[in-house]
Amino acid sequence: MSQVKTLSASQDYPTHECGVCGIFDHEDAAKLTYFGLYALQHRGQESAGIVTSTGKEVFLHKDMGLVPEIFTEDILQGLKGDMSIGHVRYSTTGASNFTNTQPLMVHHKNQTLSVAHNGNLVNSTELRNRLEESGSIFQTTMDSEAVLHLMVRNSGPDLDKTLSETFRALKGAYSLLYMTEDTLVAVRDPDGFRPLCLGRLTTGGWVIASETCALDLIEADYVRDIEPGEVLIMKRGEEMRSIFPWPKQTPHHCIFEQVYFARPDSDVFGINVYQSRKQMGKILAREAKIDADFVMPFPDSGNYAAIGYAQESGIPMEMGVIRNHYVGRTFIEPSQSMRDFNVKVKLNPVRSLLKGKRVIIVEDSIIRGTTGKSRVRALREAGAKEIHMVVSCPPTMHACYYGIDFPTSSQLIACNKNVEEIAEYLGLDSLHYLSLEGMVEATGIPKEHYCLACFNGIYPIAPDQKYHKDALATKVVKG
Amino acid sequence: MSQVKTLSASQDYPTHECGVCGIFDHEDAAKLTYFGLYALQHRGQESAGIVTSTGKEVFLHKDMGLVPEIFTEDILQGLKGDMSIGHVRYSTTGASNFTNTQPLMVHHKNQTLSVAHNGNLVNSTELRNRLEESGSIFQTTMDSEAVLHLMVRNSGPDLDKTLSETFRALKGAYSLLYMTEDTLVAVRDPDGFRPLCLGRLTTGGWVIASETCALDLIEADYVRDIEPGEVLIMKRGEEMRSIFPWPKQTPHHCIFEQVYFARPDSDVFGINVYQSRKQMGKILAREAKIDADFVMPFPDSGNYAAIGYAQESGIPMEMGVIRNHYVGRTFIEPSQSMRDFNVKVKLNPVRSLLKGKRVIIVEDSIIRGTTGKSRVRALREAGAKEIHMVVSCPPTMHACYYGIDFPTSSQLIACNKNVEEIAEYLGLDSLHYLSLEGMVEATGIPKEHYCLACFNGIYPIAPDQKYHKDALATKVVKG
Amino acid sequence: MSQVKTLSASQDYPTHECGVCGIFDHEDAAKLTYFGLYALQHRGQESAGIVTSTGKEVFLHKDMGLVPEIFTEDILQGLKGDMSIGHVRYSTTGASNFTNTQPLMVHHKNQTLSVAHNGNLVNSTELRNRLEESGSIFQTTMDSEAVLHLMVRNSGPDLDKTLSETFRALKGAYSLLYMTEDTLVAVRDPDGFRPLCLGRLTTGGWVIASETCALDLIEADYVRDIEPGEVLIMKRGEEMRSIFPWPKQTPHHCIFEQVYFARPDSDVFGINVYQSRKQMGKILAREAKIDADFVMPFPDSGNYAAIGYAQESGIPMEMGVIRNHYVGRTFIEPSQSMRDFNVKVKLNPVRSLLKGKRVIIVEDSIIRGTTGKSRVRALREAGAKEIHMVVSCPPTMHACYYGIDFPTSSQLIACNKNVEEIAEYLGLDSLHYLSLEGMVEATGIPKEHYCLACFNGIYPIAPDQKYHKDALATKVVKG
Amino acid sequence: MSQVKTLSASQDYPTHECGVCGIFDHEDAAKLTYFGLYALQHRGQESAGIVTSTGKEVFLHKDMGLVPEIFTEDILQGLKGDMSIGHVRYSTTGASNFTNTQPLMVHHKNQTLSVAHNGNLVNSTELRNRLEESGSIFQTTMDSEAVLHLMVRNSGPDLDKTLSETFRALKGAYSLLYMTEDTLVAVRDPDGFRPLCLGRLTTGGWVIASETCALDLIEADYVRDIEPGEVLIMKRGEEMRSIFPWPKQTPHHCIFEQVYFARPDSDVFGINVYQSRKQMGKILAREAKIDADFVMPFPDSGNYAAIGYAQESGIPMEMGVIRNHYVGRTFIEPSQSMRDFNVKVKLNPVRSLLKGKRVIIVEDSIIRGTTGKSRVRALREAGAKEIHMVVSCPPTMHACYYGIDFPTSSQLIACNKNVEEIAEYLGLDSLHYLSLEGMVEATGIPKEHYCLACFNGIYPIAPDQKYHKDALATKVVKG
């Protein structure tokens, strides 16, 4: 574990993707949370943590690494209690260190307050400045720390008031779990950027999780999504209840969860992700008609749109590249120049299948384009005669301020090249993106219910003036 | 690393599946071997090792674990030389310990002799007894150790004679690399049970590997297979040459390499494995016509036959279960009864896809049936209305003595139940196996060129009388 | 690393022993701090950390473990800067986890504030309550966190005022280093409970450390002790200067540093520890005259008083027990009953030396008495005929509130038994403690300059009313 | 663990120091062996291993590292049986790798044969050549492997004959344990170079160990030494018995065991090591009369002779340097030039004690002189006015072929300088070695019963002609 970090002031805005899972009223809370986080590991692979409570005592364990690396049987047994919140985290701007792991826990007047947060606040600089003016100090560089300061500042006999005032002070995206000794609160920002759902355990307890795939693994029944703007309060000895601190508004769900980020076996915003992606592939097949020998995905992310494209177009689907199941997270770089090594070590083209063939690659997105370039070249060298690519979303051209980390504009290929230029750069015979309308239509949800900012640049909430995403992303951090 | 082992006499026959890779005449021999083994990791995940030679000095590194865990940049740099042999090993009968890692290296009269062996000798007891009678001692429980003893016993001025006499003494399956300070020898038994191929590096050196996927990764061109009964000799400063110590005979390739064991991107016995498996699926669709909503594999092993079945039948293919990409080799057991947890943690059914549907599962084999039972139940619980299973090979009913480890007869479900009974046990609406003829036909190789023993019980080479596979397999070993 | 912890309210008073080391104006600040902590490892073996500053950027690394386990060459190189503070920590009441490692670092208005603290505050509950009332939250259970809150609350344009107000608010023992981007402050409480000294590097920079042994290792010249009540300010680009926020008072040095805690090669409170301890042994020889064959210490802690006792009494000294140099921190418990195993595995009696002899053991203290009982029995079994024990301090009977952790009164043997009863419990022929006057006399410092509370119960500063040492010590904590 | 090694032919003579321990007839054999090895850790810190037998099954665990690092509770429980042999090893010439760990175990005709060996054979090249001529192959570079080959070659119905013929073929030093499924044999070469003793467990079983300190820890009673030339046979179900395959001869005990190598709490060759060393100090005080303020050892090895010197001379003894108890096996090198850092990090001079004083250092040996030079300089810099050194043995000038590894002649300072030159090199005011006669007299054993070769160059057994110690020691080995 590396704890070295730079802590100069401008480093205050880590953007990250995360997952949360909480349990209420189950004697095995830690273990169920562990499995929930296991299922949500795709939302964050850098660190994980769990806080549990017996109602009187609170226990915490968190560390850098993957869920199964961090938690052992012994540790889970030490995490006593029937309530818990857990978190998996992936940070991309560099402040990846122990201090920034979640859940974040603090103490105040004989009470512990913990928070696990998925999303990103856009007014964290303003909040931090205001809190620092009145004497608060910060130990992490996470915007979630401001939530706990506010909770204390707003604390009083009326819990609903404390929660309402605190959450109303936050601007941005937050699907968040908050826990004290006897209370677990689940909240989803009024735009509902990130998913958050409620499930019922077979024994009667409750689970709240970022995605329904966590419910499947622990055999909980999906009950409903936490609504945008809902604060769900589960207090020991009381009935579960909800408050709604904001006026009702149109939600702005992150469509990138459907396109790329969520697991295909999850239902997100009421829609199954697998079916959405397959439908995107079908609409793409209607929008981009190509004559070819077969359709192929780069497994596994492209599989679902490829199935849709193949079914709609009538062109057979083949697995043109084979995954090496034993590729670890690190490997030794080849010393001699092995072209496209990083691609081939994971996904080896099937030469006898590709030789002389016209193929359509179905991709779920093109970000920088560097991986795509390698992949196309590897297929060419394996003998493919024509290579077409279809992408199951429009060009990604704008930063996200709500919790998904994209490269800066200068690194997004679609910001700098038009479709023809991208095709040429990637070495393709042709390239087709799904239209914005086609993408939205595939999900069956009205367009106005989505945040489409990364595609169309229209931001539901204006980011903090001082928030310079690009500046942050280039900040050199020692870790 | 656990070195504890039982070493009572009856434990002398470890059966295992392995992969080998060797380099001749390349300054980066260790690194290329490392990548070759990386691509062959599916053939053995328990231990790995590399021996290199500079012509004067010999270097060895081996350990328990996966290839990228065992070798670091520093270690590879310490493995100097332009010749090398490497090995990955998987042992199932228990003698999994450091002593049994390969390559095996010994010293004799200022010379080192190393061997890396894929396959299994059937006369190892006899060989060992004979050698022990004349004073040899054994430090491992691997049959490969006998090869080195024979090499020394047969040593003399005529290398060809030494090699011929040694290999002629061996009975069974062996695709084997042997190396001394200045010579690398690749040999394939006259039946050609296991694959072994020769490739040319772009710089002019040579590579020998179990499968062609290793050639792809290190950008070597496939030249040809080492022939059954061929002993290929590469000696420093001499032309590469081959000797054939046996009379020409019909080969007996292991069809299980095509069905299950080899990587689909490899060409094995001259045939691409992906295409073979897809063809098996197609023939299966002709043999077993079923009315259903969709065809689905259990990824990734079932993907290829499923594609064939879907294309031939016209029934669409869907990915009915989703892989969790972050499942490690170990995880904590759930304390409460989570049914079919071991299946679902890896492969989660897509509920909204399966609900109310009639599905055809395409499997590549059914061994014990326990995994299949869990998988079927998980699909049922996700809402599937009808579940049919088609298997892309005939029932597996007989032990293998040539290097693939099956459970004992009592554990092979097809030994104990007929097809109807198996279907009932698995909870299926129907079950269909591919016919022996269909399987062979799919590969395009004449039936007589195959060893089909695990399916039809006809063994090309009779195993050693004293060789009791079942007795061995039940030997309790402490590790 | 184990992060599991209980965080109920009553656990807020970890008592601990620690060491600090800081460097000002040396390009290799991190490395020198590393070696300083290395020399101070006896003051804390549970965790260690270093913060460095380049004047603009601040770097932190800390973790659980010993100094050489935590810091690698790479990590030290990442800790850039010419200023640094470091800390080693030993916690005994259970809150031993990553969160409680030091230095503690926080952020406030683009500034970082770090603190490394040796000692214990007695008004931390009061401070914490007051801070919490005005909205502060706490992330650790260390009293040092209050220091940083106060520093922020008192911050203003006048640094001296900020420091004076902050430190005047603290009651108890603190030899403390505080650092921001451009300033390093060393402060010692007005009682001067714990040592803190200033040294000059050969290159001209400065070092501040808990003990002079840290100066020896990094070849710094001892300049002087930081005075009780002195706040030494080292600011980049300014002359080093001191302020004295309190009126001059009589110091109360912890005599236990002389008796037991400091390293014998250190000078503490102006006196060499080795010489003090030897002198204690000499005075003990005058106070307790015993006829015996030889004097023996339990190495190494008892060596120095034993030398003094032997020289004064004229009775020869022998090493009656031999240390096993390879005893690690953990070992397997013997399954059969091996009596006094824990003693003998570390210190084996020399049978041929002890057989039939009358021996005098010189001990530096008796706390619970359990170890002593085992040691005496082991000597008996090795053949000693008479065993007398002399102790180079008076009976330890009272809790320490200033940073040294003793067992609770109920566990201190001297609280529950008189000298005869202790002798009987330990299995001794006779037992003699050094008198309070003799102990003080041995150091050459006036009695009124010492805190002797653990021996005589007279506390220089009354502990916080709410501070219940015994209650805390019995708190069960899971870690 | 590093397995990389060179295996060219000339590397066949590893010299090493080792310890052995075996248990016969105790249900907890593995655990007792573990503790025995723990006590013998000073004889070898590089690797350790244990073989156990239930009479039918044999279990082995060995690895690189210290005893407590290698064995866990689980592993010890897996090492079933009531018989065992164990080994600790230290190798200096480079072949330090897993393959060369002991015990060495081989299989022959359904029997396992294991050996644990302390000492060094001088005819191993000859033995190896002879065995290789008749077809034996070697997997290690240890001379102990030849023992097992011979055991097999000589095997027959008469166990006594097999053992006698095998051991008679060996020339050199060997205190050795040999075990099969049902028999444990302890043998000591006819010269009795290395110690080996027999103890009785309180439960009635037996222990054989290199030194008596192993007996103390496991509470066994010392019975007697295994005699030089004795082969002690313990066979399941039979009475313990001894055979003596050689004619009676004068022993040649290694006096270096007394001087330096054995633990002071052990009795070796019938004499307590502590008392021998103290007596060496006393005789040295008579031979070398010096006027000084105090006598000081470098702890702990010099303690015992220093006590003798001080008692005889009447000059007080002081601990002039203090050990840092937390120095690990590795630490980071200081980047700036910290003079004598390696000395001071372990042993810090006590400045206030040394300042202006005339001191006598008592050392147990001077090998290369480099450490001594640093130590003397560190004392000078701490203020010592006069520094004299007395050494409790004569100058070490000759190689050892019987199992103790010295540097080559060119590196032994006494081979290249006379006493005055050494004193000058070390920076001493005077230097005195104990005489050969004084050293022998101190032990009370007749001079002719010792091997004094390292001091006087008279070798009891001529080493193998081909054995070039110096050539070996300079062999570069990659590890």
Side-chain angles (χ1 to χ4, degrees), chain B residues 18-20 40 42-43 118-119 173-177 187-189 191-198 208-212 222 224-228 252-258 261-263 266-271 273 402 404:
Chain B
C18 301
V20 300
L40 297 171
H42 63 292
R43 298 186 73 87
N118 172 214
Y174 49 101
S175 280
L176 177 152
L177 301 177
V187 62
R188 199 165 164 216
D189 66 70
D191 289 279
F193 284 108
R194 305 273 144 241
L196 194 64
C197 68
L198 177 69
I208 301 133
S210 291
E211 294 184 28
T212 62
Y222 171 78
R224 63 174 179 85
D225 279 13
I226 305 298
E227 288 178 45
H252 293 100
H253 305 311
C254 168
I255 202 164
F256 217 70
E257 294 272 355
Q258 289 285 357
F261 198 44
R263 253 174 65 166
S266 289
D267 293 346
V268 158
F269 316 135
I271 303 295
V273 174
Y402 314 123
I404 291 186

Side-chain angles (χ1 to χ4, degrees), chain A residues 56-335:
Chain A
K56 290 181 183 166
E57 282 192 312
V58 175
F59 300 83
L60 162 67
H61 185 80
K62 56 183 185 175
D63 211 339
M64 310 295 288
L66 294 178
V67 172
E69 297 164 355
I70 294 170
F71 295 95
T72 64
E73 190 73 44
D74 278 356
I75 288 168
L76 288 180
Q77 275 170 18
L79 290 166
K80 295 179 183 168
D82 56 2
M83 295 163 59
S84 63
I85 63 174
H87 191 266
V88 288
R89 181 171 192 262
Y90 174 58
S91 153
T92 53
T93 56
S96 79
N97 50 49
F98 186 84
T99 302
N100 278 357
T101 50
Q102 289 209 6
L104 185 62
M105 175 163 68
V106 303
H107 316 292
H108 184 258
K109 295 189 182 174
N110 298 352
Q111 195 182 36
T112 65
L113 302 78
S114 305
V115 69
H117 174 197
N118 171 213
N120 200 55
L121 303 184
V122 298
N123 68 333
S124 58
T125 302
E126 181 203 316
L127 287 173
R128 193 172 268 238
N129 288 349
R130 186 146 51 88
L131 287 160
E132 288 183 341
E133 281 302 325
S134 58
S136 291
I137 56 180
F138 285 78
Q139 296 196 25
T140 78
T141 56
M142 295 185 291
D143 52 9
S144 319
E145 192 173 359
V147 179
L148 294 174
H149 278 284
L150 290 170
M151 213 63 93
V152 163
R153 298 286 173 133
N154 296 323
S155 69
D158 182 348
L159 175 63
D160 294 12
K161 188 157 167 285
T162 300
L163 296 171
S164 295
E165 286 178 0
T166 295
F167 293 126
R168 275 200 294 253
L170 310 179
K171 283 173 62 183
Y174 50 100
S175 281
L176 178 153
L177 300 178
Y178 165 78
M179 192 169 79
T180 62
E181 271 76 1
D182 63 355
T183 306
L184 196 165
V185 176
V187 61
R188 198 166 164 217
D189 66 70
D191 289 280
F193 285 107
R194 304 272 144 242
L196 193 65
C197 68
L198 176 70
R200 180 122 217 187
L201 298 165
T202 52
T203 54
W206 300 92
V207 54
I208 301 134
S210 291
E211 295 183 29
T212 61
C213 64
L215 275 52
D216 289 348
L217 188 59
I218 61 177
E219 299 196 325
D221 288 321
Y222 170 79
V223 174
R224 63 174 178 86
D225 278 13
I226 305 299
E227 288 179 42
E230 176 178 1
V231 177
L232 179 71
I233 302 165
M234 296 161 152
K235 187 165 179 176
R236 195 172 280 269
E238 295 184 6
E239 286 296 298
M240 184 164 81
R241 68 200 160 80
S242 292
I243 58 172
F244 295 83
W246 301 268
K248 191 84 185 173
Q249 69 163 80
T250 309
H252 293 100
H253 303 313
C254 169
I255 201 164
F256 217 71
E257 295 272 354
Q258 290 285 357
V259 167
Y260 177 87
F261 199 44
R263 253 174 65 166
D265 46 337
S266 288
D267 293 346
V268 159
F269 316 136
I271 304 296
N272 174 247
V273 175
Y274 180 109
Q275 309 258 38
S276 286
R277 291 187 191 163
K278 181 178 163 190
Q279 194 62 24
M280 289 171 196
K282 285 193 170 184
I283 295 174
L284 191 49
R286 283 177 230 145
E287 291 182 4
K289 292 198 168 65
I290 300 162
D291 191 24
D293 296 307
F294 61 82
V295 171
M296 61 172 278
F298 275 88
D300 284 355
S301 62
N303 286 357
Y304 318 103
I307 284 172
Y309 192 100
Q311 288 184 13
E312 183 71 19
S313 66
I315 302 171
M317 185 176 98
E318 300 284 355
M319 290 296 184
V321 294
I322 300 298
R323 289 160 54 85
N324 180 345
H325 283 228
Y326 300 99
V327 171
R329 279 183 291 172
T330 56
F331 41 81
I332 289 167
E333 284 296 309
S335 56

Side-chain angles (χ1 to χ4, degrees), chain D residues 406-457:
Chain D
F406 288 115
T408 60
S409 300
S410 60
Q411 295 172 306
L412 286 168
I413 193 167
C415 290
N416 300 293
K417 294 186 196 297
N418 64 29
V419 175
E420 287 69 34
E421 289 167 340
I422 297 171
E424 193 188 340
Y425 173 79
L426 297 180
L428 293 167
D429 293 287
S430 79
L431 170 64
H432 304 266
Y433 283 96
L434 180 61
S435 65
L436 192 75
E437 286 67 29
M439 173 179 68
V440 171
E441 180 198 336
T443 68
I445 294 176
K447 184 176 171 184
E448 61 271 23
H449 286 193
Y450 276 120
C451 171
L452 301 162
C454 52
F455 299 115
N456 67 6

Side-chain angles (χ1 to χ4, degrees), chain B residues 456-472:
Chain B
N456 67 7
I458 301 172
Y459 292 94
I461 304 179
D464 196 325
Q465 274 193 314
K466 294 179 186 157
Y467 191 110
H468 295 294
K469 177 71 176 265
D470 284 10
L472 285 178

Side-chain angles (χ1 to χ4, degrees), chain C residues 146-416:
Chain C
V147 179
L148 294 175
H149 278 285
L150 289 171
M151 213 64 91
V152 164
R153 299 284 173 132
N154 296 323
S155 69
D158 183 348
L159 175 63
D160 293 13
K161 188 157 168 284
T162 301
L163 296 171
S164 296
E165 285 178 1
T166 296
F167 293 126
R168 274 200 296 254
L170 310 180
K171 283 172 62 184
Y174 49 100
S175 281
L176 177 152
L177 300 177
Y178 165 77
M179 192 169 79
T180 62
E181 271 77 359
D182 63 356
T183 306
L184 195 165
V185 175
V187 61
R188 197 166 165 216
D189 67 70
D191 289 279
F193 285 106
R194 304 273 146 242
L196 193 65
C197 68
L198 177 69
R200 181 122 217 187
L201 298 165
T202 52
T203 53
W206 301 92
V207 54
I208 301 134
S210 290
E211 295 183 27
T212 61
C213 64
L215 276 51
D216 289 348
L217 187 59
I218 61 177
E219 298 196 325
D221 288 321
Y222 170 79
V223 175
R224 63 175 178 85
D225 278 14
I226 305 298
E227 289 179 41
E230 176 178 0
V231 177
L232 178 72
I233 302 166
M234 296 161 152
K235 186 165 179 178
R236 196 172 281 267
E238 297 184 4
E239 285 296 297
M240 182 164 82
R241 68 199 160 79
S242 292
I243 57 171
F244 295 84
W246 300 268
K248 190 83 185 174
Q249 69 162 79
T250 309
H252 293 100
H253 302 313
C254 169
I255 202 164
F256 217 71
E257 295 272 354
Q258 289 286 356
V259 168
Y260 177 88
F261 198 44
R263 252 174 65 166
D265 46 337
S266 288
D267 293 346
V268 159
F269 316 136
I271 303 295
N272 174 247
V273 174
Y274 180 109
Q275 308 260 38
S276 286
R277 291 187 192 164
K278 180 178 163 189
Q279 194 61 25
M280 288 170 196
K282 284 194 170 183
I283 295 173
L284 191 50
R286 281 178 231 143
E287 291 183 4
K289 293 199 169 64
I290 300 162
D291 191 24
D293 295 307
F294 61 82
V295 171
M296 60 171 278
F298 275 88
D300 285 356
S301 63
N303 286 357
Y304 318 103
I307 285 172
Y309 192 100
Q311 287 183 14
E312 184 72 18
S313 66
I315 300 170
M317 184 175 98
E318 300 285 354
M319 290 297 184
V321 293
I322 300 297
R323 288 160 54 86
N324 181 346
H325 282 228
Y326 299 99
V327 171
R329 279 182 289 172
T330 56
F331 41 81
I332 289 167
E333 284 296 309
S335 55
Q336 69 161 13
S337 141
M338 294 192 197
R339 268 168 309 174
D340 308 318
F341 173 78
N342 288 322
V343 163
K344 286 194 300 183
V345 75
K346 292 178 200 157
L347 296 167
N348 193 35
V350 185
R351 294 178 168 277
S352 66
L353 193 70
L354 289 158
K355 187 153 202 180
K357 290 300 189 335
R358 299 164 304 154
V359 305
I360 303 170
I361 302 170
V362 185
E363 281 278 23
D364 51 7
S365 59
I366 303 176
I367 305 295
R368 282 191 175 89
T370 47
T371 303
K373 191 180 173 72
S374 284
R375 288 174 168 187
V376 171
R377 189 167 47 204
L379 294 186
R380 284 269 181 236
E381 284 170 9
K385 195 173 71 183
E386 280 179 31
I387 305 177
H388 306 271
M389 184 181 287
V390 295
V391 185
S392 58
C393 67
T396 312
M397 298 177 72
H398 304 276
C400 173
Y401 300 111
Y402 314 123
I404 291 186
D405 184 75
F406 287 114
T408 59
S409 300
S410 61
Q411 295 172 306
L412 285 169
I413 192 168
C415 290
N416 301 293

